[in-house]
Amino acid sequence: MIKRDTFGEIIRFGMVGTTAAAIHYGTYWLLQRFIDVNVAYTVGYIVSFIVNYILSARFTFREKTSTRNGLGFIGAHVTNYLMHIVLFNFFLWVGLSRAIAPLAVLAIAVPVNFLMVRFVFKHFHRS
């Protein structure tokens, strides 16, 4: 059974994640028409990362932003970005369209990212 506070975090994470994913995808979608798809995907990721950190800290996990959780968040997102870009290119390679590939990536990466980011805000800053 999921604890009530964990359930609330999952709901808030979903809201923040949806916002960050929309920013990421929107930025990617606009830029991929003009620049390389990997560069567009990366720029979208960076833009959404900034919003995601602030909202994750303050809204999702109700923690203050700090150097320590900021560094942990960056570490989690470097791993997450590498997973994103590998999956993105894999899905393009197997024939998914440039419009659908990012959505397939999110289906896999979001649950993994929740676990990593939750660890950062709930455990990393307390060690």
Side-chain angles (χ1 to χ4, degrees):
M1 184 101 186
I2 297 177
K3 294 180 185 177
R4 183 178 174 91
D5 60 328
T6 303
F7 182 73
E9 288 173 355
I10 292 169
I11 298 300
R12 292 188 303 273
F13 181 85
M15 294 167 65
V16 169
T18 300
T19 301
I23 291 167
H24 182 189
Y25 188 79
T27 304
Y28 161 79
W29 182 248
L30 290 172
L31 293 178
Q32 60 92 25
R33 296 171 182 206
F34 307 105
I35 61 177
D36 177 75
V37 293
N38 285 297
V39 174
Y41 196 85
T42 300
V43 170
Y45 191 92
I46 292 167
V47 171
S48 73
F49 170 84
I50 295 164
V51 173
N52 194 353
Y53 172 63
I54 294 166
L55 292 177
S56 289
R58 305 231 171 160
F59 179 68
T60 302
F61 299 106
R62 299 186 175 163
E63 300 282 340
K64 293 180 181 180
T65 56
S66 69
T67 302
R68 190 168 178 109
N69 65 29
L71 290 173
F73 195 81
I74 289 169
H77 275 272
V78 165
T79 303
N80 190 46
Y81 170 77
L82 293 172
M83 179 175 49
H84 268 251
I85 205 70
V86 167
L87 288 170
F88 177 66
N89 281 284
F90 172 75
F91 289 134
L92 290 174
W93 180 74
V94 297
L96 286 182
S97 74
R98 291 174 17 170
I100 300 298
L103 302 175
V105 170
L106 291 173
I108 295 168
V110 167
V112 173
N113 191 36
F114 172 76
L115 296 173
M116 290 188 301
V117 171
R118 185 175 194 281
F119 177 80
V120 166
F121 282 105
K122 294 299 182 181
H123 303 289
F124 181 75
H125 76 280
R126 293 186 181 134
S127 14

